[in-house]
Amino acid sequence: MEILVFVIIVILSIYIYIKYNKKHKKKHKNSYNNSNSHYNSNSYYNSKYYYKETPTNKGKQQENCISDLLTNIPNSKVLRNLYIPYNGKTTEIDCVFICQKGVFVIESKNYSGYIYGKVDNEQWCQTIYNGKKKIKSHFLNPLLQNKTHIKCLNKIFSTNYKSVVVFSDNAKLALNISNVIYVHELLSFINNNQADTIDVDNVYNTLYPYTIITELEKKEHINNVINSKNICPYCGANLVLRKSKNGDFYGCTNFPKCKYTRNV
């Protein structure tokens, strides 16, 4: 009888151990996928944080990377997050790099998936393949964004600004545009430009004040962007007018993946 009880206890112990170990491994795996979401586009895309975190955390991550790359170049200056006057409001520039090769206006896009677009298209397309599913989203043509940025910069300091759009190495650029490149190509892109007679300190000192902004001014800038362009602050897609039993509202065209809404 005692032996039978002992055997039952051993079997139960083994069962509990296996069940706990299996649950622990599953939890660890989920934690690993979340912590490596920037390197695993599918797991990150499927998470509820995809649209909320891409424009902020993920975007800032690449901007930091670009800044670190450029800071190591001698006789140069880096300006980040400039808020330039535009039609009575402001437009934000990710990065301006000033060196003996010229003044580069850099638009950073930390996107994964396939990127499609043409120089004069108003919007470009991002396509992510998640198993058998093909998920598309649209965003503003970054070349046109930079064209506006350079126009505004010339009103402050007139020079031959050079536009460059930098995508994450996780993206697959299905386009052939010379100044749309990957992060790893940025330094060689700059180096391949002809030397320019640039007074680095003069340009830097002129533009630096536009990097100084209060939290209230930054919030006002974000609200103006959303209200004037009807762009989703979560994923960058268009907002469209929708109707419901409770009244009209603006909803994201990437619904149901993105559930952002705004009252009319």
Side-chain angles (χ1 to χ4, degrees), residues 9-42:
I9 292 173
V10 170
I11 293 172
L12 285 173
S13 298
I14 294 172
Y15 173 76
I16 292 170
Y17 173 79
I18 293 172
K19 189 173 181 180
Y20 172 82
N21 195 43
K22 186 176 180 181
K23 183 178 180 181
H24 179 71
K25 283 184 177 179
K26 185 177 180 181
K27 183 178 180 181
H28 176 73
K29 183 179 179 181
N30 290 337
S31 176
Y32 178 84
N33 285 338
N34 288 335
S35 65
N36 289 275
S37 57
H38 294 306
Y39 306 97
N40 185 336
S41 60
N42 286 338

mmCIF file of all heavy atoms in Angstrom, residues 9-42:
data_model
loop_
_atom_site.group_PDB
_atom_site.id
_atom_site.type_symbol
_atom_site.label_atom_id
_atom_site.label_comp_id
_atom_site.label_asym_id
_atom_site.label_seq_id
_atom_site.Cartn_x
_atom_site.Cartn_y
_atom_site.Cartn_z
ATOM 1 N N ILE A 9 2.429 9.488 -5.889
ATOM 2 C CA ILE A 9 3.026 10.791 -5.578
ATOM 3 C C ILE A 9 4.099 11.153 -6.611
ATOM 4 O O ILE A 9 4.187 12.280 -7.087
ATOM 5 C CB ILE A 9 3.623 10.788 -4.157
ATOM 6 C CG1 ILE A 9 2.507 10.697 -3.106
ATOM 7 C CG2 ILE A 9 4.467 12.043 -3.932
ATOM 8 C CD1 ILE A 9 2.995 10.526 -1.680
ATOM 9 N N VAL A 10 4.927 10.165 -6.974
ATOM 10 C CA VAL A 10 5.988 10.397 -7.970
ATOM 11 C C VAL A 10 5.392 10.782 -9.317
ATOM 12 O O VAL A 10 5.843 11.718 -9.977
ATOM 13 C CB VAL A 10 6.876 9.137 -8.106
ATOM 14 C CG1 VAL A 10 7.826 9.288 -9.307
ATOM 15 C CG2 VAL A 10 7.673 8.902 -6.831
ATOM 16 N N ILE A 11 4.342 10.027 -9.730
ATOM 17 C CA ILE A 11 3.696 10.303 -11.020
ATOM 18 C C ILE A 11 3.084 11.702 -11.031
ATOM 19 O O ILE A 11 3.215 12.458 -12.002
ATOM 20 C CB ILE A 11 2.620 9.242 -11.316
ATOM 21 C CG1 ILE A 11 3.273 7.876 -11.553
ATOM 22 C CG2 ILE A 11 1.793 9.636 -12.538
ATOM 23 C CD1 ILE A 11 2.289 6.729 -11.666
ATOM 24 N N LEU A 12 2.405 12.081 -9.967
ATOM 25 C CA LEU A 12 1.809 13.424 -9.877
ATOM 26 C C LEU A 12 2.885 14.499 -9.909
ATOM 27 O O LEU A 12 2.725 15.557 -10.541
ATOM 28 C CB LEU A 12 0.983 13.537 -8.590
ATOM 29 C CG LEU A 12 -0.373 12.830 -8.578
ATOM 30 C CD1 LEU A 12 -0.993 12.898 -7.185
ATOM 31 C CD2 LEU A 12 -1.314 13.457 -9.600
ATOM 32 N N SER A 13 3.983 14.245 -9.239
ATOM 33 C CA SER A 13 5.085 15.216 -9.214
ATOM 34 C C SER A 13 5.650 15.427 -10.605
ATOM 35 O O SER A 13 5.918 16.563 -11.032
ATOM 36 C CB SER A 13 6.184 14.733 -8.255
ATOM 37 O OG SER A 13 5.698 14.625 -6.939
ATOM 38 N N ILE A 14 5.838 14.320 -11.318
ATOM 39 C CA ILE A 14 6.361 14.417 -12.694
ATOM 40 C C ILE A 14 5.388 15.166 -13.596
ATOM 41 O O ILE A 14 5.772 16.014 -14.401
ATOM 42 C CB ILE A 14 6.642 13.005 -13.253
ATOM 43 C CG1 ILE A 14 7.788 12.352 -12.475
ATOM 44 C CG2 ILE A 14 6.980 13.066 -14.736
ATOM 45 C CD1 ILE A 14 8.005 10.890 -12.829
ATOM 46 N N TYR A 15 4.090 14.864 -13.452
ATOM 47 C CA TYR A 15 3.053 15.533 -14.264
ATOM 48 C C TYR A 15 3.050 17.039 -14.019
ATOM 49 O O TYR A 15 3.008 17.844 -14.950
ATOM 50 C CB TYR A 15 1.690 14.937 -13.933
ATOM 51 C CG TYR A 15 0.536 15.657 -14.581
ATOM 52 C CD1 TYR A 15 0.243 15.491 -15.935
ATOM 53 C CD2 TYR A 15 -0.266 16.521 -13.824
ATOM 54 C CE1 TYR A 15 -0.811 16.161 -16.521
ATOM 55 C CE2 TYR A 15 -1.319 17.199 -14.399
ATOM 56 C CZ TYR A 15 -1.590 17.016 -15.751
ATOM 57 O OH TYR A 15 -2.625 17.687 -16.323
ATOM 58 N N ILE A 16 3.098 17.420 -12.731
ATOM 59 C CA ILE A 16 3.086 18.851 -12.374
ATOM 60 C C ILE A 16 4.332 19.540 -12.905
ATOM 61 O O ILE A 16 4.279 20.659 -13.431
ATOM 62 C CB ILE A 16 2.983 19.018 -10.839
ATOM 63 C CG1 ILE A 16 1.600 18.550 -10.351
ATOM 64 C CG2 ILE A 16 3.223 20.468 -10.437
ATOM 65 C CD1 ILE A 16 1.477 18.451 -8.844
ATOM 66 N N TYR A 17 5.487 18.859 -12.813
ATOM 67 C CA TYR A 17 6.742 19.436 -13.291
ATOM 68 C C TYR A 17 6.700 19.682 -14.798
ATOM 69 O O TYR A 17 7.072 20.746 -15.288
ATOM 70 C CB TYR A 17 7.907 18.508 -12.945
ATOM 71 C CG TYR A 17 9.216 18.939 -13.555
ATOM 72 C CD1 TYR A 17 9.968 19.975 -12.991
ATOM 73 C CD2 TYR A 17 9.687 18.322 -14.709
ATOM 74 C CE1 TYR A 17 11.154 20.372 -13.558
ATOM 75 C CE2 TYR A 17 10.878 18.722 -15.283
ATOM 76 C CZ TYR A 17 11.613 19.748 -14.707
ATOM 77 O OH TYR A 17 12.788 20.142 -15.278
ATOM 78 N N ILE A 18 6.219 18.669 -15.545
ATOM 79 C CA ILE A 18 6.148 18.801 -17.010
ATOM 80 C C ILE A 18 5.198 19.919 -17.406
ATOM 81 O O ILE A 18 5.487 20.723 -18.296
ATOM 82 C CB ILE A 18 5.700 17.464 -17.642
ATOM 83 C CG1 ILE A 18 6.790 16.399 -17.447
ATOM 84 C CG2 ILE A 18 5.395 17.636 -19.124
ATOM 85 C CD1 ILE A 18 6.360 14.997 -17.871
ATOM 86 N N LYS A 19 4.043 19.991 -16.757
ATOM 87 C CA LYS A 19 3.044 21.023 -17.074
ATOM 88 C C LYS A 19 3.594 22.407 -16.790
ATOM 89 O O LYS A 19 3.443 23.341 -17.585
ATOM 90 C CB LYS A 19 1.777 20.773 -16.257
ATOM 91 C CG LYS A 19 0.606 21.651 -16.681
ATOM 92 C CD LYS A 19 -0.670 21.255 -15.956
ATOM 93 C CE LYS A 19 -1.838 22.123 -16.420
ATOM 94 N NZ LYS A 19 -3.097 21.753 -15.720
ATOM 95 N N TYR A 20 4.262 22.580 -15.659
ATOM 96 C CA TYR A 20 4.845 23.873 -15.289
ATOM 97 C C TYR A 20 5.952 24.262 -16.257
ATOM 98 O O TYR A 20 6.049 25.404 -16.712
ATOM 99 C CB TYR A 20 5.398 23.818 -13.867
ATOM 100 C CG TYR A 20 6.192 25.049 -13.487
ATOM 101 C CD1 TYR A 20 5.561 26.213 -13.057
ATOM 102 C CD2 TYR A 20 7.588 25.037 -13.586
ATOM 103 C CE1 TYR A 20 6.294 27.329 -12.737
ATOM 104 C CE2 TYR A 20 8.334 26.160 -13.265
ATOM 105 C CZ TYR A 20 7.684 27.302 -12.837
ATOM 106 O OH TYR A 20 8.409 28.408 -12.515
ATOM 107 N N ASN A 21 6.805 23.285 -16.594
ATOM 108 C CA ASN A 21 7.932 23.561 -17.479
ATOM 109 C C ASN A 21 7.460 23.981 -18.865
ATOM 110 O O ASN A 21 8.003 24.880 -19.490
ATOM 111 C CB ASN A 21 8.811 22.312 -17.578
ATOM 112 C CG ASN A 21 10.168 22.626 -18.160
ATOM 113 O OD1 ASN A 21 10.772 23.629 -17.797
ATOM 114 N ND2 ASN A 21 10.638 21.779 -19.057
ATOM 115 N N LYS A 22 6.399 23.325 -19.359
ATOM 116 C CA LYS A 22 5.844 23.659 -20.661
ATOM 117 C C LYS A 22 5.274 25.071 -20.666
ATOM 118 O O LYS A 22 5.468 25.852 -21.593
ATOM 119 C CB LYS A 22 4.752 22.648 -21.012
ATOM 120 C CG LYS A 22 4.196 22.808 -22.425
ATOM 121 C CD LYS A 22 3.182 21.719 -22.726
ATOM 122 C CE LYS A 22 2.629 21.880 -24.136
ATOM 123 N NZ LYS A 22 1.623 20.829 -24.441
ATOM 124 N N LYS A 23 4.560 25.418 -19.598
ATOM 125 C CA LYS A 23 3.980 26.758 -19.468
ATOM 126 C C LYS A 23 5.065 27.811 -19.373
ATOM 127 O O LYS A 23 4.982 28.892 -19.964
ATOM 128 C CB LYS A 23 3.076 26.810 -18.239
ATOM 129 C CG LYS A 23 2.357 28.140 -18.061
ATOM 130 C CD LYS A 23 1.449 28.084 -16.844
ATOM 131 C CE LYS A 23 0.723 29.418 -16.652
ATOM 132 N NZ LYS A 23 -0.148 29.380 -15.461
ATOM 133 N N HIS A 24 6.138 27.503 -18.634
ATOM 134 C CA HIS A 24 7.245 28.440 -18.461
ATOM 135 C C HIS A 24 7.945 28.713 -19.784
ATOM 136 O O HIS A 24 8.292 29.853 -20.102
ATOM 137 C CB HIS A 24 8.227 27.866 -17.447
ATOM 138 C CG HIS A 24 9.426 28.748 -17.217
ATOM 139 N ND1 HIS A 24 9.355 29.939 -16.541
ATOM 140 C CD2 HIS A 24 10.718 28.594 -17.606
ATOM 141 C CE1 HIS A 24 10.554 30.504 -16.507
ATOM 142 N NE2 HIS A 24 11.396 29.698 -17.148
ATOM 143 N N LYS A 25 8.160 27.628 -20.584
ATOM 144 C CA LYS A 25 8.823 27.796 -21.876
ATOM 145 C C LYS A 25 7.994 28.655 -22.814
ATOM 146 O O LYS A 25 8.497 29.494 -23.538
ATOM 147 C CB LYS A 25 9.056 26.418 -22.516
ATOM 148 C CG LYS A 25 10.226 25.675 -21.914
ATOM 149 C CD LYS A 25 10.446 24.364 -22.662
ATOM 150 C CE LYS A 25 11.664 23.631 -22.108
ATOM 151 N NZ LYS A 25 11.877 22.352 -22.820
ATOM 152 N N LYS A 26 6.662 28.443 -22.804
ATOM 153 C CA LYS A 26 5.770 29.238 -23.655
ATOM 154 C C LYS A 26 5.814 30.701 -23.272
ATOM 155 O O LYS A 26 5.869 31.591 -24.113
ATOM 156 C CB LYS A 26 4.342 28.701 -23.542
ATOM 157 C CG LYS A 26 3.363 29.376 -24.485
ATOM 158 C CD LYS A 26 1.986 28.738 -24.375
ATOM 159 C CE LYS A 26 1.019 29.422 -25.331
ATOM 160 N NZ LYS A 26 -0.340 28.835 -25.226
ATOM 161 N N LYS A 27 5.830 30.977 -21.987
ATOM 162 C CA LYS A 27 5.905 32.352 -21.492
ATOM 163 C C LYS A 27 7.220 32.993 -21.896
ATOM 164 O O LYS A 27 7.280 34.140 -22.314
ATOM 165 C CB LYS A 27 5.734 32.359 -19.973
ATOM 166 C CG LYS A 27 5.725 33.755 -19.369
ATOM 167 C CD LYS A 27 5.509 33.676 -17.870
ATOM 168 C CE LYS A 27 5.496 35.079 -17.263
ATOM 169 N NZ LYS A 27 5.312 35.022 -15.801
ATOM 170 N N HIS A 28 8.321 32.207 -21.774
ATOM 171 C CA HIS A 28 9.631 32.709 -22.142
ATOM 172 C C HIS A 28 9.706 33.021 -23.631
ATOM 173 O O HIS A 28 10.264 34.031 -24.056
ATOM 174 C CB HIS A 28 10.699 31.684 -21.769
ATOM 175 C CG HIS A 28 12.079 32.070 -22.194
ATOM 176 N ND1 HIS A 28 12.794 33.058 -21.559
ATOM 177 C CD2 HIS A 28 12.862 31.617 -23.201
ATOM 178 C CE1 HIS A 28 13.969 33.192 -22.147
ATOM 179 N NE2 HIS A 28 14.031 32.325 -23.151
ATOM 180 N N LYS A 29 9.106 32.149 -24.455
ATOM 181 C CA LYS A 29 9.099 32.352 -25.900
ATOM 182 C C LYS A 29 8.351 33.617 -26.273
ATOM 183 O O LYS A 29 8.797 34.410 -27.103
ATOM 184 C CB LYS A 29 8.463 31.144 -26.582
ATOM 185 C CG LYS A 29 8.477 31.229 -28.101
ATOM 186 C CD LYS A 29 7.852 29.982 -28.697
ATOM 187 C CE LYS A 29 7.842 30.072 -30.221
ATOM 188 N NZ LYS A 29 7.227 28.884 -30.831
ATOM 189 N N ASN A 30 7.192 33.849 -25.648
ATOM 190 C CA ASN A 30 6.422 35.063 -25.923
ATOM 191 C C ASN A 30 7.202 36.299 -25.519
ATOM 192 O O ASN A 30 7.197 37.323 -26.205
ATOM 193 C CB ASN A 30 5.078 35.019 -25.177
ATOM 194 C CG ASN A 30 4.149 33.989 -25.766
ATOM 195 O OD1 ASN A 30 4.293 33.619 -26.924
ATOM 196 N ND2 ASN A 30 3.202 33.516 -24.969
ATOM 197 N N SER A 31 7.868 36.221 -24.385
ATOM 198 C CA SER A 31 8.677 37.333 -23.911
ATOM 199 C C SER A 31 9.810 37.624 -24.873
ATOM 200 O O SER A 31 10.123 38.767 -25.169
ATOM 201 C CB SER A 31 9.240 37.009 -22.524
ATOM 202 O OG SER A 31 10.104 38.013 -22.081
ATOM 203 N N TYR A 32 10.437 36.551 -25.414
ATOM 204 C CA TYR A 32 11.536 36.722 -26.363
ATOM 205 C C TYR A 32 11.050 37.398 -27.636
ATOM 206 O O TYR A 32 11.672 38.305 -28.158
ATOM 207 C CB TYR A 32 12.139 35.357 -26.701
ATOM 208 C CG TYR A 32 13.241 35.416 -27.709
ATOM 209 C CD1 TYR A 32 14.550 35.698 -27.329
ATOM 210 C CD2 TYR A 32 12.973 35.197 -29.064
ATOM 211 C CE1 TYR A 32 15.561 35.762 -28.257
ATOM 212 C CE2 TYR A 32 13.982 35.256 -29.998
ATOM 213 C CZ TYR A 32 15.273 35.531 -29.595
ATOM 214 O OH TYR A 32 16.273 35.598 -30.515
ATOM 215 N N ASN A 33 9.888 36.966 -28.146
ATOM 216 C CA ASN A 33 9.348 37.566 -29.361
ATOM 217 C C ASN A 33 9.051 39.036 -29.166
ATOM 218 O O ASN A 33 9.293 39.858 -30.044
ATOM 219 C CB ASN A 33 8.067 36.833 -29.793
ATOM 220 C CG ASN A 33 8.374 35.487 -30.422
ATOM 221 O OD1 ASN A 33 9.474 35.263 -30.897
ATOM 222 N ND2 ASN A 33 7.403 34.588 -30.395
ATOM 223 N N ASN A 34 8.501 39.398 -28.004
ATOM 224 C CA ASN A 34 8.190 40.790 -27.736
ATOM 225 C C ASN A 34 9.459 41.634 -27.645
ATOM 226 O O ASN A 34 9.526 42.740 -28.150
ATOM 227 C CB ASN A 34 7.399 40.914 -26.429
ATOM 228 C CG ASN A 34 5.982 40.403 -26.585
ATOM 229 O OD1 ASN A 34 5.453 40.391 -27.696
ATOM 230 N ND2 ASN A 34 5.374 39.970 -25.501
ATOM 231 N N SER A 35 10.488 41.103 -26.971
ATOM 232 C CA SER A 35 11.714 41.870 -26.786
ATOM 233 C C SER A 35 12.488 42.020 -28.084
ATOM 234 O O SER A 35 13.294 42.922 -28.240
ATOM 235 C CB SER A 35 12.600 41.182 -25.743
ATOM 236 O OG SER A 35 13.031 39.923 -26.205
ATOM 237 N N ASN A 36 12.272 41.118 -29.061
ATOM 238 C CA ASN A 36 12.968 41.183 -30.331
ATOM 239 C C ASN A 36 12.039 41.601 -31.462
ATOM 240 O O ASN A 36 12.285 41.303 -32.615
ATOM 241 C CB ASN A 36 13.591 39.817 -30.658
ATOM 242 C CG ASN A 36 14.768 39.517 -29.765
ATOM 243 O OD1 ASN A 36 15.891 39.917 -30.035
ATOM 244 N ND2 ASN A 36 14.502 38.822 -28.662
ATOM 245 N N SER A 37 10.986 42.319 -31.131
ATOM 246 C CA SER A 37 9.967 42.660 -32.119
ATOM 247 C C SER A 37 10.511 43.514 -33.250
ATOM 248 O O SER A 37 10.004 43.470 -34.357
ATOM 249 C CB SER A 37 8.806 43.387 -31.439
ATOM 250 O OG SER A 37 9.260 44.541 -30.771
ATOM 251 N N HIS A 38 11.533 44.299 -32.990
ATOM 252 C CA HIS A 38 12.078 45.136 -34.051
ATOM 253 C C HIS A 38 12.775 44.289 -35.120
ATOM 254 O O HIS A 38 12.991 44.755 -36.230
ATOM 255 C CB HIS A 38 13.078 46.130 -33.467
ATOM 256 C CG HIS A 38 12.430 47.138 -32.559
ATOM 257 N ND1 HIS A 38 11.371 47.922 -32.955
ATOM 258 C CD2 HIS A 38 12.689 47.484 -31.279
ATOM 259 C CE1 HIS A 38 11.020 48.719 -31.952
ATOM 260 N NE2 HIS A 38 11.795 48.463 -30.938
ATOM 261 N N TYR A 39 13.172 43.038 -34.764
ATOM 262 C CA TYR A 39 13.874 42.191 -35.708
ATOM 263 C C TYR A 39 12.971 41.139 -36.317
ATOM 264 O O TYR A 39 13.332 40.478 -37.271
ATOM 265 C CB TYR A 39 15.052 41.502 -35.013
ATOM 266 C CG TYR A 39 15.949 42.493 -34.327
ATOM 267 C CD1 TYR A 39 15.809 42.756 -32.969
ATOM 268 C CD2 TYR A 39 16.896 43.198 -35.042
ATOM 269 C CE1 TYR A 39 16.612 43.691 -32.342
ATOM 270 C CE2 TYR A 39 17.696 44.126 -34.416
ATOM 271 C CZ TYR A 39 17.563 44.367 -33.071
ATOM 272 O OH TYR A 39 18.351 45.300 -32.464
ATOM 273 N N ASN A 40 11.811 41.007 -35.772
ATOM 274 C CA ASN A 40 10.853 40.037 -36.272
ATOM 275 C C ASN A 40 9.599 40.791 -36.684
ATOM 276 O O ASN A 40 8.750 41.096 -35.865
ATOM 277 C CB ASN A 40 10.541 39.004 -35.181
ATOM 278 C CG ASN A 40 9.639 37.894 -35.694
ATOM 279 O OD1 ASN A 40 8.898 38.083 -36.653
ATOM 280 N ND2 ASN A 40 9.705 36.750 -35.051
ATOM 281 N N SER A 41 9.507 41.121 -37.967
ATOM 282 C CA SER A 41 8.426 41.992 -38.432
ATOM 283 C C SER A 41 7.059 41.372 -38.216
ATOM 284 O O SER A 41 6.094 42.065 -37.920
ATOM 285 C CB SER A 41 8.618 42.326 -39.919
ATOM 286 O OG SER A 41 8.603 41.147 -40.691
ATOM 287 N N ASN A 42 6.946 40.037 -38.369
ATOM 288 C CA ASN A 42 5.640 39.409 -38.218
ATOM 289 C C ASN A 42 5.131 39.492 -36.789
ATOM 290 O O ASN A 42 3.992 39.876 -36.544
ATOM 291 C CB ASN A 42 5.719 37.944 -38.658
ATOM 292 C CG ASN A 42 5.808 37.818 -40.164
ATOM 293 O OD1 ASN A 42 5.412 38.733 -40.879
ATOM 294 N ND2 ASN A 42 6.344 36.712 -40.644
#
